[in-house]
Amino acid sequence: MLQDWRFWFLAPMVLALGIVVLFPSGYLVWMSVTHWIVTDPSVYFDGVQNFATLFRSASFASAVQVTALYLVLSTILMLILAFGLALALSGPNSPGFIRAIVVMPLVIPPVVAGFTWRFLMNGEMGFLGAFVLPNVGITTNMLANPTGALISIVIADVWSRTPFMFLIFLAALQAIPRDHYEAIRLDGASALQEFWLVTLPMMRSAVVIALLFRVIDALNTFELIYVMTKGGPGRSTQTLSLLGWKTAFQGFDFGGAAALGVVMLVVTTVCASIVYRRFLRMPS
Amino acid sequence: MVAIRITGVTKSFGEVPVLRGIDLEIGHSEFVVFVGPSGCGKSTLLRVIAGLEQATSGDIHFDDRRITDVAPAKRGVAMVFQSYALYPHMTVAENMTMSLRLAGVPKPERRRRAEEVAKMLQLTPLLDRKPAALSGGQRQRVAIGRAIVRQPDVFLFDEPLSNLDAALRVETRVGITKLHRTLGNTMIYVTHDQVEAMTMADRIVILDQGRVAQVGTPLELYRRPANAFVAGFLGSPKMNFIKADEISRSGSSIRLKLASGSDIEVNAAATDKVALFGIRPEHLTVANEGPIAGTVAAVEHLGSETLIYVETSADTLIVKAGENATTQPGDRVNLRPEPNAIHLFAADGRSVAGAPNH
């Protein structure tokens, strides 16, 4: 094996992956079955106690609900927006600078985006929160109101992450051969039928890949929410990743946070593999 | 089965003219091949007829019906694309009957039609497969099947054989010709391959830089090309051209000085001043004496024939000889053109005297 040159090409990568992925994952699992609270000097194996506590806690139930709501709302909005923008801007004559503008939020770090949106939504001096919204009859202070805060976060997230989905869709749209559209036009299809019978089916794998990225991305969203609301008011925008951070670094319950981490890992992996198996693997 | 009349059709993409005034009549049930080098406008003309491109000016009639502004689907045309354009997410049967589905034909009837056409093209066992599971030749037949299912008045083929290997191309070529005999539809076929044009067409339309260079039956075009472009385009290997100067003329005989250095007497009644002398490789023979002298540069034995490349002082000429040619590279040879097969062209490329007796 050591004589095979391929081994030496693979080895550094496997080693790096082991250090940054496999080891921490294993450590996480070990932590999740350990009673480990920073303020408590005794650290011991605790079986599934951390999981039991987690599943019984009200904050976990609410975090699942908030995460699901946030995931579904933002994903639907993003899909519609990204698809619409990609359709509108996929033509050969659509100006490049508009595409550039659409993609721009992608290069703004989530922390900066979060601060910007917090200022925009601010009820006393924000452009949106203090001027635009009151003028259209919305006088609620968005970030101070549970529903308003969640909506604000969804808006900020959609603004910041739609460009990525847009890029995937744009590439997929432009990869559909012109012949297919011409063939179906000759067959007598209307514009709507063209979209339904050619565009949509041929975009399927792009949509699935975009959804896969989106689900993983949404479950991991942290900075944006942290900066905008820190999970509040109350628990109204406290997603699973926020809850994990709070458990670990405010409650100092490393074992409990690790258990939550394991749950998220399992959920993400299961979701991803369902999507992968169901939609992406080539039929044999 | 319609006749097609194209009058004064032009097409520009922005500032770039692609078709510069096409006038053409295609008869009922005729098999017409558009041929020309890439960029000559043949595909654009086909797409204008299909309605996939709008002509900049001019008119197209199918029989007496003006279809210039009619939507592609309402023209009664079906097209076979070079890429086949099969929908990858649909089965062969669904691909073939898409037009019927869009026209609201019920499913059992669609299936029946698909099976009928599949039988004709030996596609029956493949009806429920997806295009990805088919070979290139099978996909090609599905694309043709899709066109047949529509029962169009006019079939349009846009270089349908260019993605097939050589053997399959010959086989499919014969298949399409047979199909034309069976169905009797008007068919227009675009290709850059002059062999396809020669073998399939009732009439060939040769296009050059957006204009019709010549229209005629394959043999007419081969024997009496209207200009040097047509003469050079049809025939393989292509016609040899030698620059020529007229020295004298007497009655039906012209004396020419060829650029390769020697004089030649040609029996022809040229209508204009001759500037170019053309002779096909099969009408040149290696002889002890002849007006053209040169050195053999290369010899290609193709089995049934031999191609001899002869370097003269001006050009390299190709001679098509029999299978037993013994000429070797480096030999000094003389070439003799067959007197009845000489083509003469004016400075602008027009034919001024064709090979009348050939």
Side-chain angles (χ1 to χ4, degrees), chain B residues 102-116:
Chain B
L102 292 170
V105 176
K107 211 168 180 182
E109 168 67 11
R110 268 160 30 204
R111 183 72 194 181
R112 198 187 58 73
R113 289 272 288 279
E115 279 168 2
E116 202 177 280

Side-chain angles (χ1 to χ4, degrees), chain A residues 13 19 79 89 93 96 121-122 126-127 149 210 220 231 234 252 256 265 284:
Chain A
M13 197 58 219
I19 292 170
L79 265 180
L89 298 176
N93 298 326
M121 290 295 189
N122 187 296
F127 175 68
N220 288 333
F252 297 113
L265 189 69
S284 51

Side-chain angles (χ1 to χ4, degrees), chain B residues 88-103:
Chain B
H89 50 282
M90 295 179 197
T91 64
V92 167
E94 286 167 342
N95 261 289
M96 293 208 298
T97 54
M98 178 50 86
S99 56
L100 304 180
R101 178 175 164 190
L102 292 170

Side-chain angles (χ1 to χ4, degrees), chain B residues 1 29-31 120 148 155 157 171-187 199-202:
Chain B
M1 277 128 282
S29 306
E30 203 175 11
F31 195 118
M120 209 163 125
I148 297 175
F155 276 90
F157 294 91
E171 199 184 307
T172 315
R173 202 166 78 196
V174 176
I176 293 178
T177 313
K178 261 192 206 154
L179 189 72
H180 177 240
R181 268 205 306 275
T182 320
L183 299 175
N185 292 53
T186 311
M187 293 191 180
T199 50
M200 300 173 87
D202 291 331

